[in-house]
Amino acid sequence: MIIAIDGTLASGKGTIAKRLSGWYGLPHMDTGRLYRATGVAAMNKNTDFDDPAALAKVARTLDLNDYSEDQLRTAEAGQAASKVAAVPEVRAALLELQRAFAHQPKGAVLDGRDIGTVVCPDADVKLWVDASVEVRAERRWKELHDKGETLSLDEMIAQLKERDERDKTRKDAPMIAAVDSVLIDTTHLTIDAAVDKARAAVDAVIAQSSEGSGS
Ligand code: C5P
């Protein structure tokens, strides 16, 4: 079973993905890490962000073990990620890796921006996770503040809006809900309540397919 989880930054999609992965015993890929690592690697190597071929080479030769979670979760890494993610050559370089991960024998859970639309349009379950920009900014701001970043909440809201806009308007694989996705708005939900909704959507698909197979 392939579960595709897309949505906006700090909507809760990563936590939902991890919890579904544990519950259903499926491997999980956080595809944002691929773009974050590409962005950080490009910055470290002083790669020209206007050179698609050079950025694609960085993506193709990426070793995720080179980067700690802390390095990848900074606001700067997020901004760099959304810039390299707008480059079609980078997306192409990362596509097969994601598809191969999804098509393991048991299936997988992948979260990102274009899993249900581009990476796995054939996914068994598609979720679209979103929340208001103010609530998302506050969540991410708290997370970064606890790690010692000194960004203000207003700056965080501005950054989120900028990134949402870039992700939504890029030509290649823009961030958009797949037409057959189930919406989970986490603005007023606890994470447990959001996970319950996600599980209900997956269980409905499992029940349907076992009815269909006559078992
Ligand atoms: O989810 P996360 O915030 O880690 O993603 C960082 C950036 O990577 C996003 O803002 C987006 O530009 C890009 N991304 C993408 N497609 C994905 C996953 C992430 O374009 N499947």
Side-chain angles (χ1 to χ4, degrees), residues 9 13 31-32 35-36 73 81-82 85 91 98 112-115 163 167 170:
L9 177 86
K13 66 182 183 333
T31 64
Y35 292 93
R36 285 173 180 270
R73 300 295 294 179
S82 105
R91 305 200 70 84
Q98 298 172 77
R113 301 290 189 289
D114 63 337
I115 309 302
R163 277 182 55 186
D167 287 348
R170 67 180 175 225

PDB file of all heavy atoms in Angstrom, residues 9 13 31-32 35-36 73 81-82 85 91 98 112-115 163 167 170, ligand 1:
ATOM      1  N   LEU A   9       3.867  23.602   4.614  1.00  0.00           N
ATOM      2  CA  LEU A   9       4.893  23.568   5.659  1.00  0.00           C
ATOM      3  C   LEU A   9       4.265  23.707   7.051  1.00  0.00           C
ATOM      4  O   LEU A   9       3.400  24.560   7.247  1.00  0.00           O
ATOM      5  CB  LEU A   9       5.838  24.749   5.423  1.00  0.00           C
ATOM      6  CG  LEU A   9       6.931  24.928   6.459  1.00  0.00           C
ATOM      7  CD1 LEU A   9       8.107  24.068   6.101  1.00  0.00           C
ATOM      8  CD2 LEU A   9       7.340  26.369   6.544  1.00  0.00           C
ATOM      9  N   LYS A  13       1.983  17.351   8.440  1.00  0.00           N
ATOM     10  CA  LYS A  13       2.035  16.185   7.536  1.00  0.00           C
ATOM     11  C   LYS A  13       3.172  15.226   7.882  1.00  0.00           C
ATOM     12  O   LYS A  13       3.010  14.014   7.764  1.00  0.00           O
ATOM     13  CB  LYS A  13       2.107  16.613   6.067  1.00  0.00           C
ATOM     14  CG  LYS A  13       3.375  17.333   5.673  1.00  0.00           C
ATOM     15  CD  LYS A  13       3.300  17.750   4.226  1.00  0.00           C
ATOM     16  CE  LYS A  13       4.561  18.413   3.718  1.00  0.00           C
ATOM     17  NZ  LYS A  13       5.425  19.115   4.643  1.00  0.00           N
ATOM     18  N   THR A  31      10.253  13.367   1.907  1.00  0.00           N
ATOM     19  CA  THR A  31      10.909  13.804   0.663  1.00  0.00           C
ATOM     20  C   THR A  31      11.439  15.232   0.753  1.00  0.00           C
ATOM     21  O   THR A  31      12.323  15.610  -0.011  1.00  0.00           O
ATOM     22  CB  THR A  31       9.962  13.669  -0.555  1.00  0.00           C
ATOM     23  OG1 THR A  31       8.856  14.558  -0.368  1.00  0.00           O
ATOM     24  CG2 THR A  31       9.474  12.243  -0.718  1.00  0.00           C
ATOM     25  N   GLY A  32      10.925  16.021   1.714  1.00  0.00           N
ATOM     26  CA  GLY A  32      11.458  17.370   1.910  1.00  0.00           C
ATOM     27  C   GLY A  32      12.943  17.337   2.261  1.00  0.00           C
ATOM     28  O   GLY A  32      13.695  18.248   1.914  1.00  0.00           O
ATOM     29  N   TYR A  35      15.166  17.684  -0.748  1.00  0.00           N
ATOM     30  CA  TYR A  35      15.299  19.054  -1.255  1.00  0.00           C
ATOM     31  C   TYR A  35      16.108  19.915  -0.285  1.00  0.00           C
ATOM     32  O   TYR A  35      16.899  20.765  -0.700  1.00  0.00           O
ATOM     33  CB  TYR A  35      13.916  19.654  -1.530  1.00  0.00           C
ATOM     34  CG  TYR A  35      13.235  18.958  -2.686  1.00  0.00           C
ATOM     35  CD1 TYR A  35      12.367  17.892  -2.477  1.00  0.00           C
ATOM     36  CD2 TYR A  35      13.525  19.325  -4.000  1.00  0.00           C
ATOM     37  CE1 TYR A  35      11.780  17.225  -3.540  1.00  0.00           C
ATOM     38  CE2 TYR A  35      12.943  18.662  -5.067  1.00  0.00           C
ATOM     39  CZ  TYR A  35      12.073  17.613  -4.827  1.00  0.00           C
ATOM     40  OH  TYR A  35      11.504  16.951  -5.885  1.00  0.00           O
ATOM     41  N   ARG A  36      15.903  19.684   1.008  1.00  0.00           N
ATOM     42  CA  ARG A  36      16.676  20.435   2.008  1.00  0.00           C
ATOM     43  C   ARG A  36      18.165  20.109   1.876  1.00  0.00           C
ATOM     44  O   ARG A  36      19.015  20.999   1.886  1.00  0.00           O
ATOM     45  CB  ARG A  36      16.199  20.091   3.422  1.00  0.00           C
ATOM     46  CG  ARG A  36      14.877  20.719   3.766  1.00  0.00           C
ATOM     47  CD  ARG A  36      14.348  20.220   5.103  1.00  0.00           C
ATOM     48  NE  ARG A  36      13.082  20.859   5.384  1.00  0.00           N
ATOM     49  CZ  ARG A  36      12.947  22.002   6.043  1.00  0.00           C
ATOM     50  NH1 ARG A  36      14.002  22.597   6.543  1.00  0.00           N
ATOM     51  NH2 ARG A  36      11.768  22.553   6.222  1.00  0.00           N
ATOM     52  N   ARG A  73      17.057  21.358   9.306  1.00  0.00           N
ATOM     53  CA  ARG A  73      15.796  21.936   9.773  1.00  0.00           C
ATOM     54  C   ARG A  73      15.874  23.439  10.008  1.00  0.00           C
ATOM     55  O   ARG A  73      14.941  24.022  10.550  1.00  0.00           O
ATOM     56  CB  ARG A  73      15.336  21.259  11.068  1.00  0.00           C
ATOM     57  CG  ARG A  73      15.086  19.776  10.958  1.00  0.00           C
ATOM     58  CD  ARG A  73      13.960  19.400  10.048  1.00  0.00           C
ATOM     59  NE  ARG A  73      12.669  19.838  10.531  1.00  0.00           N
ATOM     60  CZ  ARG A  73      11.536  19.621   9.866  1.00  0.00           C
ATOM     61  NH1 ARG A  73      11.546  19.014   8.699  1.00  0.00           N
ATOM     62  NH2 ARG A  73      10.386  20.036  10.343  1.00  0.00           N
ATOM     63  N   ALA A  81      15.903  24.988   0.135  1.00  0.00           N
ATOM     64  CA  ALA A  81      15.169  23.834  -0.407  1.00  0.00           C
ATOM     65  C   ALA A  81      14.099  24.294  -1.388  1.00  0.00           C
ATOM     66  O   ALA A  81      13.964  23.747  -2.489  1.00  0.00           O
ATOM     67  CB  ALA A  81      14.521  23.050   0.732  1.00  0.00           C
ATOM     68  N   SER A  82      13.346  25.314  -0.998  1.00  0.00           N
ATOM     69  CA  SER A  82      12.244  25.705  -1.877  1.00  0.00           C
ATOM     70  C   SER A  82      12.768  26.362  -3.158  1.00  0.00           C
ATOM     71  O   SER A  82      12.122  26.303  -4.203  1.00  0.00           O
ATOM     72  CB  SER A  82      11.200  26.523  -1.123  1.00  0.00           C
ATOM     73  OG  SER A  82      11.229  27.878  -1.404  1.00  0.00           O
ATOM     74  N   ALA A  85      13.976  23.390  -5.285  1.00  0.00           N
ATOM     75  CA  ALA A  85      12.809  22.585  -5.659  1.00  0.00           C
ATOM     76  C   ALA A  85      12.059  23.169  -6.854  1.00  0.00           C
ATOM     77  O   ALA A  85      11.263  22.482  -7.489  1.00  0.00           O
ATOM     78  CB  ALA A  85      11.862  22.455  -4.470  1.00  0.00           C
ATOM     79  N   ARG A  91      14.275  18.382  -9.702  1.00  0.00           N
ATOM     80  CA  ARG A  91      13.135  17.493  -9.445  1.00  0.00           C
ATOM     81  C   ARG A  91      13.298  16.186 -10.213  1.00  0.00           C
ATOM     82  O   ARG A  91      13.049  15.107  -9.685  1.00  0.00           O
ATOM     83  CB  ARG A  91      11.810  18.170  -9.805  1.00  0.00           C
ATOM     84  CG  ARG A  91      11.589  19.502  -9.133  1.00  0.00           C
ATOM     85  CD  ARG A  91      10.128  19.906  -9.126  1.00  0.00           C
ATOM     86  NE  ARG A  91       9.361  19.083  -8.234  1.00  0.00           N
ATOM     87  CZ  ARG A  91       9.249  19.283  -6.919  1.00  0.00           C
ATOM     88  NH1 ARG A  91       9.827  20.320  -6.356  1.00  0.00           N
ATOM     89  NH2 ARG A  91       8.546  18.461  -6.166  1.00  0.00           N
ATOM     90  N   GLN A  98      12.591   8.552  -5.333  1.00  0.00           N
ATOM     91  CA  GLN A  98      11.337   8.564  -4.581  1.00  0.00           C
ATOM     92  C   GLN A  98      10.405   7.464  -5.078  1.00  0.00           C
ATOM     93  O   GLN A  98       9.766   6.771  -4.294  1.00  0.00           O
ATOM     94  CB  GLN A  98      10.656   9.933  -4.715  1.00  0.00           C
ATOM     95  CG  GLN A  98      11.481  11.073  -4.142  1.00  0.00           C
ATOM     96  CD  GLN A  98      10.866  12.426  -4.461  1.00  0.00           C
ATOM     97  OE1 GLN A  98       9.897  12.839  -3.834  1.00  0.00           O
ATOM     98  NE2 GLN A  98      11.414  13.127  -5.433  1.00  0.00           N
ATOM     99  N   GLY A 112       5.365  14.976   1.244  1.00  0.00           N
ATOM    100  CA  GLY A 112       6.033  16.029   0.474  1.00  0.00           C
ATOM    101  C   GLY A 112       5.036  17.032  -0.068  1.00  0.00           C
ATOM    102  O   GLY A 112       4.102  17.460   0.634  1.00  0.00           O
ATOM    103  N   ARG A 113       5.257  17.448  -1.315  1.00  0.00           N
ATOM    104  CA  ARG A 113       4.387  18.446  -1.941  1.00  0.00           C
ATOM    105  C   ARG A 113       3.710  17.911  -3.207  1.00  0.00           C
ATOM    106  O   ARG A 113       2.680  18.408  -3.633  1.00  0.00           O
ATOM    107  CB  ARG A 113       5.187  19.696  -2.348  1.00  0.00           C
ATOM    108  CG  ARG A 113       5.914  20.404  -1.231  1.00  0.00           C
ATOM    109  CD  ARG A 113       4.938  21.087  -0.303  1.00  0.00           C
ATOM    110  NE  ARG A 113       5.602  21.963   0.665  1.00  0.00           N
ATOM    111  CZ  ARG A 113       6.343  21.557   1.681  1.00  0.00           C
ATOM    112  NH1 ARG A 113       6.546  20.277   1.867  1.00  0.00           N
ATOM    113  NH2 ARG A 113       6.873  22.420   2.520  1.00  0.00           N
ATOM    114  N   ASP A 114       4.337  16.908  -3.834  1.00  0.00           N
ATOM    115  CA  ASP A 114       3.849  16.439  -5.145  1.00  0.00           C
ATOM    116  C   ASP A 114       3.773  14.920  -5.201  1.00  0.00           C
ATOM    117  O   ASP A 114       3.872  14.335  -6.259  1.00  0.00           O
ATOM    118  CB  ASP A 114       4.813  16.929  -6.251  1.00  0.00           C
ATOM    119  CG  ASP A 114       6.214  16.338  -6.087  1.00  0.00           C
ATOM    120  OD1 ASP A 114       6.562  15.931  -4.955  1.00  0.00           O
ATOM    121  OD2 ASP A 114       6.947  16.269  -7.083  1.00  0.00           O
ATOM    122  N   ILE A 115       3.614  14.289  -4.039  1.00  0.00           N
ATOM    123  CA  ILE A 115       3.628  12.822  -4.022  1.00  0.00           C
ATOM    124  C   ILE A 115       2.370  12.280  -4.727  1.00  0.00           C
ATOM    125  O   ILE A 115       2.465  11.420  -5.604  1.00  0.00           O
ATOM    126  CB  ILE A 115       3.732  12.264  -2.577  1.00  0.00           C
ATOM    127  CG1 ILE A 115       4.893  12.921  -1.832  1.00  0.00           C
ATOM    128  CG2 ILE A 115       3.876  10.750  -2.603  1.00  0.00           C
ATOM    129  CD1 ILE A 115       6.251  12.753  -2.469  1.00  0.00           C
ATOM    130  N   ARG A 163       7.421  31.084   0.875  1.00  0.00           N
ATOM    131  CA  ARG A 163       7.676  29.701   0.450  1.00  0.00           C
ATOM    132  C   ARG A 163       6.431  29.053  -0.129  1.00  0.00           C
ATOM    133  O   ARG A 163       6.492  28.352  -1.133  1.00  0.00           O
ATOM    134  CB  ARG A 163       8.209  28.881   1.618  1.00  0.00           C
ATOM    135  CG  ARG A 163       9.701  29.095   1.755  1.00  0.00           C
ATOM    136  CD  ARG A 163      10.262  28.279   2.853  1.00  0.00           C
ATOM    137  NE  ARG A 163       9.961  26.862   2.734  1.00  0.00           N
ATOM    138  CZ  ARG A 163      10.277  25.986   3.669  1.00  0.00           C
ATOM    139  NH1 ARG A 163      10.863  26.379   4.752  1.00  0.00           N
ATOM    140  NH2 ARG A 163      10.015  24.710   3.491  1.00  0.00           N
ATOM    141  N   ASP A 167       6.235  27.561  -3.854  1.00  0.00           N
ATOM    142  CA  ASP A 167       5.875  26.146  -4.059  1.00  0.00           C
ATOM    143  C   ASP A 167       4.612  26.009  -4.929  1.00  0.00           C
ATOM    144  O   ASP A 167       4.493  25.087  -5.727  1.00  0.00           O
ATOM    145  CB  ASP A 167       5.647  25.441  -2.714  1.00  0.00           C
ATOM    146  CG  ASP A 167       6.957  25.182  -1.960  1.00  0.00           C
ATOM    147  OD1 ASP A 167       8.032  25.345  -2.559  1.00  0.00           O
ATOM    148  OD2 ASP A 167       6.894  24.811  -0.772  1.00  0.00           O
ATOM    149  N   ARG A 170       5.379  27.457  -8.916  1.00  0.00           N
ATOM    150  CA  ARG A 170       6.432  26.957  -9.803  1.00  0.00           C
ATOM    151  C   ARG A 170       5.776  26.150 -10.924  1.00  0.00           C
ATOM    152  O   ARG A 170       4.706  25.548 -10.739  1.00  0.00           O
ATOM    153  CB  ARG A 170       7.453  26.125  -9.022  1.00  0.00           C
ATOM    154  CG  ARG A 170       6.894  24.838  -8.488  1.00  0.00           C
ATOM    155  CD  ARG A 170       7.934  24.034  -7.719  1.00  0.00           C
ATOM    156  NE  ARG A 170       7.303  22.878  -7.133  1.00  0.00           N
ATOM    157  CZ  ARG A 170       7.478  22.457  -5.892  1.00  0.00           C
ATOM    158  NH1 ARG A 170       8.281  23.079  -5.087  1.00  0.00           N
ATOM    159  NH2 ARG A 170       6.841  21.390  -5.451  1.00  0.00           N
TER     160      ARG A 170
HETATM  161  O1  C5P B   1       8.566  19.582   3.739  1.00  0.00           O
HETATM  162  P1  C5P B   1       9.767  20.485   3.859  1.00  0.00           P
HETATM  163  O2  C5P B   1       9.465  21.798   4.493  1.00  0.00           O
HETATM  164  O3  C5P B   1      10.920  19.803   4.513  1.00  0.00           O
HETATM  165  O4  C5P B   1      10.215  20.782   2.348  1.00  0.00           O
HETATM  166  C1  C5P B   1      11.170  21.758   2.047  1.00  0.00           C
HETATM  167  C2  C5P B   1      10.910  22.290   0.645  1.00  0.00           C
HETATM  168  O5  C5P B   1      11.188  21.256  -0.294  1.00  0.00           O
HETATM  169  C3  C5P B   1       9.481  22.723   0.356  1.00  0.00           C
HETATM  170  O6  C5P B   1       9.252  24.089   0.658  1.00  0.00           O
HETATM  171  C4  C5P B   1       9.339  22.473  -1.123  1.00  0.00           C
HETATM  172  O7  C5P B   1       9.795  23.578  -1.857  1.00  0.00           O
HETATM  173  C5  C5P B   1      10.296  21.328  -1.386  1.00  0.00           C
HETATM  174  N1  C5P B   1       9.625  20.052  -1.592  1.00  0.00           N
HETATM  175  C6  C5P B   1       9.096  19.794  -2.836  1.00  0.00           C
HETATM  176  N2  C5P B   1       8.539  18.583  -3.119  1.00  0.00           N
HETATM  177  C7  C5P B   1       8.486  17.637  -2.176  1.00  0.00           C
HETATM  178  C8  C5P B   1       9.001  17.885  -0.878  1.00  0.00           C
HETATM  179  C9  C5P B   1       9.550  19.128  -0.603  1.00  0.00           C
HETATM  180  O8  C5P B   1       9.113  20.645  -3.705  1.00  0.00           O
HETATM  181  N3  C5P B   1       7.952  16.447  -2.490  1.00  0.00           N
END
